[in-house]
Amino acid sequence: MPALITILSIIIGFVLLLSINVRFYIVYSQQLALDVGWLFLRFKLIPKKDKGKDKEKKEEDKKPKKEEKPKEKKKSSIFRDYYENQGVVGVTELIQNAAASLKKLSVYFLKSIKIKKLHLKVKITGEDSAKTAINYGRFCAAVYPAIGTINSAVKVKNQQITVAPDYFSNNNETYLDATVLISPLILLTAVFIFAFDFIFNVLIKFFRGSQKANKQNSKII
């Protein structure tokens, strides 16, 4: 009984830890900065520290190696066997099953993402007033549908989008401040569902089809 309680407590603790979102902090203002955080930990991914000295040491340690002739590998006939046995219909069905599995993965993956903050400020300029107005119209036609697609795909809480033409400057300005949350628990669930679906609907059917072809070929021989 104590062992069972210990195992259950470990499982519950593991699930609770996976329920805590991983946070991605994205800031762009002339240079991209990307941090990742989980619990009380936070790491900087971009920009990375200079590793020039480490690269120089690695280059010094590298020594020219003798060129080895690549060994000729026998081409696998498993794809040919499956095609010969199942035909175009079987290959098409296999592709459809793979696409359906990837669609399920994308749906669950998007469910694991939440945008806690999305602040975007853009100033559009041009060579003259007419060019500035044209650039502004083109940018709005591109960015606002993209923002709408993001809102329809994932949950966005704090959103501020500001796009304005600047007739007095010659340089475009862009500022982005976003915080993206990803749930490890939902993400792992999506991966397991995809793996289970892909194995049973794609891989098993594929290997069974190719094995049948091999048996038929051996009987003929």
Side-chain angles (χ1 to χ4, degrees):
M1 191 69 181
L4 181 61
I5 295 173
T6 304
I7 293 171
L8 288 175
S9 61
I10 291 172
I11 294 173
I12 293 171
F14 188 68
V15 171
L16 289 175
L17 287 175
L18 289 177
S19 301
I20 300 173
N21 292 324
V22 178
R23 304 177 303 277
F24 291 89
Y25 304 95
I26 305 168
V27 177
Y28 178 81
S29 180
Q30 297 181 351
Q31 187 179 6
L32 179 64
L34 175 61
D35 293 3
V36 60
W38 186 69
L39 291 174
F40 54 87
L41 303 174
R42 184 163 175 169
F43 305 96
K44 184 176 290 293
L45 299 180
I46 301 175
K48 294 182 178 180
K49 296 180 180 179
D50 295 334
K51 296 182 179 180
K53 294 181 180 180
D54 295 337
K55 289 182 179 179
E56 290 178 0
K57 289 181 180 179
K58 288 181 180 179
E59 289 177 357
E60 290 177 358
D61 294 338
K62 288 181 180 178
K63 295 181 180 180
K65 297 180 180 179
K66 294 181 180 180
E67 294 183 357
E68 296 180 358
K69 293 182 180 180
K71 296 180 180 180
E72 294 183 358
K73 296 182 179 179
K74 294 181 180 180
K75 295 181 179 179
S76 176
S77 60
I78 188 170
F79 297 99
R80 185 192 63 190
D81 292 339
Y82 182 84
Y83 176 76
E84 289 178 354
N85 188 49
Q86 302 297 328
V88 177
V89 176
V91 174
T92 304
E93 183 181 354
L94 203 67
I95 293 172
Q96 289 175 346
N97 291 341
S101 299
L102 289 172
K103 185 177 180 180
K104 289 180 183 178
L105 176 64
S106 63
V107 170
Y108 281 99
F109 177 72
L110 290 175
K111 286 182 180 180
S112 68
I113 299 175
K114 293 180 181 178
I115 299 178
K116 186 177 180 180
K117 180 172 67 174
L118 179 60
H119 292 179
L120 177 65
K121 296 180 182 179
V122 182
K123 289 184 179 180
I124 305 296
T125 63
E127 298 175 357
D128 50 29
S129 299
K131 189 67 174 177
T132 299
I134 293 171
N135 292 341
Y136 171 72
R138 288 178 176 175
F139 186 84
C140 290
V143 71
Y144 282 111
I147 297 296
T149 302
I150 292 173
N151 280 270
S152 61
V154 299
K155 294 181 180 179
V156 183
K157 287 187 176 181
N158 185 3
Q159 177 177 295
Q160 294 180 7
I161 309 296
T162 304
V163 182
D166 189 351
Y167 296 99
F168 303 101
S169 177
N170 295 324
N171 298 321
N172 295 323
E173 295 181 6
T174 303
Y175 176 76
L176 173 65
D177 185 6
T179 303
V180 181
L181 308 178
I182 296 180
S183 172
L185 185 61
I186 299 176
L187 187 60
L188 286 174
T189 303
V191 172
F192 281 123
I193 292 173
F194 167 75
F196 182 83
D197 191 73
F198 189 81
I199 288 171
F200 282 91
N201 292 327
V202 180
L203 291 182
I204 291 178
K205 290 183 179 180
F206 175 72
F207 284 112
R208 281 180 178 176
S210 61
Q211 286 173 2
K212 288 179 181 179
N214 287 328
K215 289 179 181 178
Q216 291 175 359
N217 291 334
S218 61
K219 287 180 181 179
I220 293 171
I221 294 170

